[in-house]
Amino acid sequence: MPVEPLSRTEIEARLAELPGWTLAGDRLTRAYRLDSHVAAAAMTVHIARVQDELDHHSDLTLGYNTVSLSVHTHSAGGAVTAKDLELARRVEDLASAHGAH
């Protein structure tokens, strides 16, 4: 079943429920800061598990004490879809358990 791109208005309305997430061009993005490199690495592994569970993978970058995501849906021509917002919501839900801000 194809995934439909969301309108900019719908994306912006749903981003209001996801603090720190922004629309940058054709992608949703968010960066988190953590207390240590090990904490950031642990969060990255947790995000990778969620991505596998959803079968939806973002660009995921591990820095010294940061984790950054950039997500869009390749099968929708690189547009933002409901799948991207679901991934963002799931990541946001797990971030506090890792002490991310």
Side-chain angles (χ1 to χ4, degrees):
M1 172 186 260
V3 181
E4 295 298 318
L6 298 175
S7 71
R8 184 172 188 89
T9 303
E10 187 170 4
I11 294 165
E12 289 173 354
R14 297 207 28 209
L15 282 177
E17 302 168 7
L18 295 166
W21 285 86
T22 60
L23 181 62
D26 64 347
R27 295 173 176 257
L28 299 181
T29 63
R30 173 76 154 94
Y32 295 92
R33 182 167 299 278
L34 293 98
D35 291 335
S36 70
H37 181 66
V38 171
M43 184 172 164
T44 301
V45 170
H46 198 166
I47 292 169
R49 287 184 179 149
V50 169
Q51 290 175 337
D52 278 350
E53 181 182 314
L54 296 174
D55 192 26
H56 189 58
H57 301 83
S58 68
D59 291 338
L60 179 59
T61 304
L62 171 64
Y64 170 70
N65 64 344
T66 60
V67 174
S68 301
L69 292 96
S70 175
V71 61
H72 63 188
T73 302
H74 295 283
S75 63
V80 173
T81 69
K83 290 178 77 169
D84 303 308
L85 287 157
E86 174 64 12
L87 176 58
R89 186 194 62 76
R90 293 280 304 272
V91 170
E92 197 62 30
D93 288 349
L94 68 82
S96 63
H98 290 276
H101 52 282

